[in-house]
Amino acid sequence: MGKKFIKSVFVVLSLVVLFSLFACEKRETFEPEIKGVQSQMTAYTGDVFDFMAGITATDKYGKDVTDKVKYYTAAPMNEKGELIQSGEYSVRYELEINGVVLTQEYAMLKVIFKKPDVITDNMIFNGDFSSGYTDPFVLSQFENGTGTFGVENEELYVNITNIAAAQASPRVDYNDLQLDPDKFYEVRFDARANVPRWLHIQIGQLIDSAPWFYSVDPIERYFHLDTTMQTFSFRFQPSTKEGADMTKISLLFEFGKMKDEAILTTCFLDNIVMQEVDSLGEDTTPPTITAPSGEFIAYVGEKLNVPVTAYDDFDKDITDRLEVSGDEIPVDENGLLTTEGVYTLIYKVKDTAGNEATATVTVKVNPPRQFADPDNILGTITDESLYKESGIAEETDAEANPYKLVIWYDMGGWIGAPSNAVYAIEDGVLKITMTQPAGSTWFATQLFYYSLPVKDGGTYALTFKLNSSKAGKITVNDTVVDVVEGMNEIKVKVTVAPEAQFPEKIQFGTSSNNPNMGDCEVEISDVKASPWEDEGDEEPEYADPENILGTVTDESLYQESGIAEEKVAQENPYKLVIWYDMGGWA
């Protein structure tokens, strides 16, 4: 019995030693990790967003410790956990065990405003700003007009920090209104300013290219703000004259330079209302005269044709009622201008209700206009052709100085790092040495060159030689051109309207997805414009009328450059083109 007991004890001790040896073996370890974090997330106002959806975590032994993950964000939420303000907000995830943060991950949450389904006579949501937030109003800043905005004491404030030369910026926008051109509408709002100033309102469709805006209310709407809150209102019937899409209308409150004032102050808006009404009411608003600002340039030997129109909210287009007075401008028996000088014309118009408007236009009559030599439209580049007045210059300088080569480069780093250019003309050859960092914009270096006006216009071939130190892509008069290292013979088609200048515009890059050429040296020579001749008699290709959009296949995606512009889709039929906002434009 004693031997059995001793044997049992021995077995037990052996097992203990064995387990101890196993326990002493080193366990495999890992880096603690948070998994499933998306760098970009999207949600809508009103959503209860699950920040932990798809998130897991493991500790250094690979054990699931998801319950130890915490997240932190400044995204505004109400007591129900609903997101209540649009914007972009960072989200930080932390894995914390025993009071120690072992790892972190970061994400961005983009909250998009979603208008609640609320039926009301007022077409403006949150116009009294009782929510405490700015949605769905947005602040637009462009052309160096800047500001900040927010809600304070249930009023929208706009702190104007810089004013654009144009009256439109900075600006507060209310978008996505839908109007009916057969109905009448009234706009009401309260407004004040810390320093008295003017406010301008426009209503229409914002578009992505020139002319940038289609108005549905051609009447000029100026309102003078005082330091005390005042109520303003006006009525209008949407105009279809400019072709605006009535489902994409914006109400715009503009705080730029107007009436020769550029005042930095803080302005306040409240109780903004737009609603249908049964009529335009009493006609107390003067007509609007649209006329050139600054000097209108005319030429001896040509007819005077000042583009002046008049519009009234009740009577609509009343241009034919305009009366002109002021200086008498001499013309011959054919109505052609005969005498140089500066003249003042006064335009006056009255609507049916007796409201009157006037506008003054200064006309400068220059000597007879010179036109480009039809046999040598772009002239000859010489050592004197470089525009040197200010080192670098704008496209407008090229237009104002025909036959002068104008160089522009991005000294300020508008979108990315700044660029530089050293240039000279030697024996009719323009040499440019460019420094274009990878982070700088595709239009970091540009060349502009304009002729005198081409009297009859026409379609031409712009040709020149380009000797480049590296290969890449450039843009010539909005046409993307492939460049090889060494000599290139460039040819693009250019159409010029009668009496317009022939342009040569080169950007040494193409777009955000085809960036600038980088550091390189180029030589440009033999720049010519000659009548365009179609090459060959090939019949144009047309879409199959029974299958206009073709068939989408695995080959349909335009993948040459990742993302691309709309014009790339136009130039490449039956290719699907994707564009997304890599640059954070808005």
Side-chain angles (χ1 to χ4, degrees), residues 340-463:
E340 298 173 37
V342 178
Y343 306 89
T344 299
L345 298 179
I346 301 170
Y347 292 82
K348 183 183 295 184
V349 71
K350 188 179 292 187
D351 65 17
T352 302
N355 300 304
E356 189 174 272
T358 61
T360 300
V361 177
T362 300
V363 177
K364 183 179 181 182
V365 180
N366 284 339
R369 186 158 27 167
Q370 291 182 295
F371 291 100
D373 179 354
D375 296 322
N376 186 20
I377 289 175
L378 289 178
T380 303
I381 294 177
T382 69
D383 296 346
E384 304 300 318
S385 299
L386 195 61
Y387 181 82
K388 298 179 180 178
E389 185 175 328
S390 60
I392 67 169
E394 305 287 341
E395 182 176 1
T396 52
D397 292 311
E399 292 178 287
N401 295 274
Y403 304 123
K404 289 289 186 180
L405 286 158
V406 165
I407 310 293
W408 183 93
Y409 57 89
D410 186 5
M411 292 192 301
W414 293 96
I415 305 175
S419 60
N420 193 13
V422 178
Y423 43 90
I425 295 177
E426 297 178 11
D427 299 325
V429 177
L430 173 65
K431 298 182 179 181
I432 309 175
T433 301
M434 288 172 274
T435 302
Q436 301 187 120
S440 60
T441 177
W442 63 272
F443 53 82
T445 307
Q446 302 182 77
L447 166 68
F448 302 107
Y449 182 77
Y450 276 82
S451 73
L452 286 166
V454 181
K455 188 170 186 178
D456 298 321
T459 301
Y460 299 88
L462 169 62
T463 58

Side-chain angles (χ1 to χ4, degrees), residues 122-148:
N122 186 8
M123 301 165 65
I124 306 296
F125 175 77
N126 191 32
D128 61 3
F129 306 102
S130 57
S131 69
Y133 296 101
T134 58
D135 286 331
F137 294 84
V138 295
L139 180 67
S140 292
Q141 306 173 77
F142 48 92
E143 295 181 2
N144 295 325
T146 60
T148 59

Side-chain angles (χ1 to χ4, degrees), residues 50-68:
D50 185 357
F51 287 88
M52 291 300 296
I55 303 296
T56 61
T58 53
D59 66 8
K60 65 179 181 178
Y61 301 117
K63 179 184 175 183
D64 187 313
V65 287
T66 304
D67 60 336
K68 303 295 185 183

